[in-house]
Amino acid sequence: MAINVLTLVGSLRSGSTNGQLAEAAVAHAPEGVEVTLFSGIADLPFYNEDIDVEGQVPAAAAKLREAAGSADAFVLVSPEYNGTMPAVLKNAIDWLSRPFGAGAMTGKPTAVIGTAFGQFGGVWAQDEARKAAGIAGANVLEDAKLAIPGSLTRFAELHPKDDAEVVAQVSEVLAALKGAAEKNLVAQG
């Protein structure tokens, strides 16, 4: 049985290097890991308890929760916008955090990766995404991380899925998620 890893990308831009990094994860998932890219993050309304009512949850949020509910683990792919994660990624985490203590991320292994133009590769944004996911109940794997600096130059002519170093690093993150997800499944019996 393959471990299903749901991937949320915090960039909406077509041709985004973070979107390409997520594509690299799909293309180079280790054996026993299936990576699924969630494509509806832009359609989510901003989280609001007034619209998060059973039977009336907006369709985009219900779609996200359904995909997350069937996932064994998560990869959050975050660029850095003004020193933090993009609002669309934070909003997705907010939707997945409810109901509090029983949201779709609760207890599931989660890794945060990303790339940014700056010299640190977006680590501030990724740290914020790890913090938010942890508060949302995810089992954030602190050692499974990847921050790639200089995205615009590094990937100007080379897609991340064709960069051997990136492929190896992404594969390590996915292998760590697989191991943690398998432990969860064994514990659940």
Side-chain angles (χ1 to χ4, degrees), residues 7 20-30 35 37 75 113 161 170 174:
T7 302
Q20 292 176 359
L21 184 59
E23 292 167 2
V26 171
H28 296 288
V35 178
L37 295 179
V75 170
I113 65 174
K161 70 179 172 50
V170 167
L174 292 172

Side-chain angles (χ1 to χ4, degrees), residues 5-149:
V5 178
L6 185 65
T7 302
L8 305 176
V9 180
S11 176
L12 303 179
R13 184 176 61 82
S14 67
S16 156
T17 53
N18 281 280
Q20 292 176 359
L21 184 59
E23 292 167 2
V26 171
H28 296 288
E31 187 173 330
V33 177
E34 181 179 319
V35 178
T36 304
L37 295 179
F38 183 77
S39 62
I41 197 169
D43 301 326
L44 292 168
F46 280 110
Y47 184 80
N48 176 343
E49 284 185 47
D50 292 341
I51 62 174
D52 189 6
V53 177
E54 190 172 334
Q56 299 175 24
V57 173
K63 179 182 169 190
L64 173 64
R65 285 178 172 168
E66 182 180 339
S70 63
D72 300 305
F74 296 92
V75 170
L76 307 179
V77 185
S78 184
E80 188 168 272
Y81 292 177
N82 298 313
T84 192
M85 78 177 114
V88 294
L89 184 57
K90 174 63 168 69
N91 188 46
I93 294 169
D94 290 345
W95 276 105
L96 294 175
S97 72
R98 300 290 189 258
F100 185 74
M105 294 184 90
T106 301
K108 293 183 180 177
T110 301
V112 180
I113 65 174
T115 183
F117 181 69
Q119 65 181 339
F120 300 110
V123 294
W124 288 351
Q126 293 167 33
D127 287 346
E128 291 296 319
R130 276 189 281 281
K131 175 183 171 186
I135 292 171
N139 171 19
V140 178
L141 305 185
E142 293 295 335
D143 293 334
K145 50 176 95 171
L146 174 58
I148 304 167

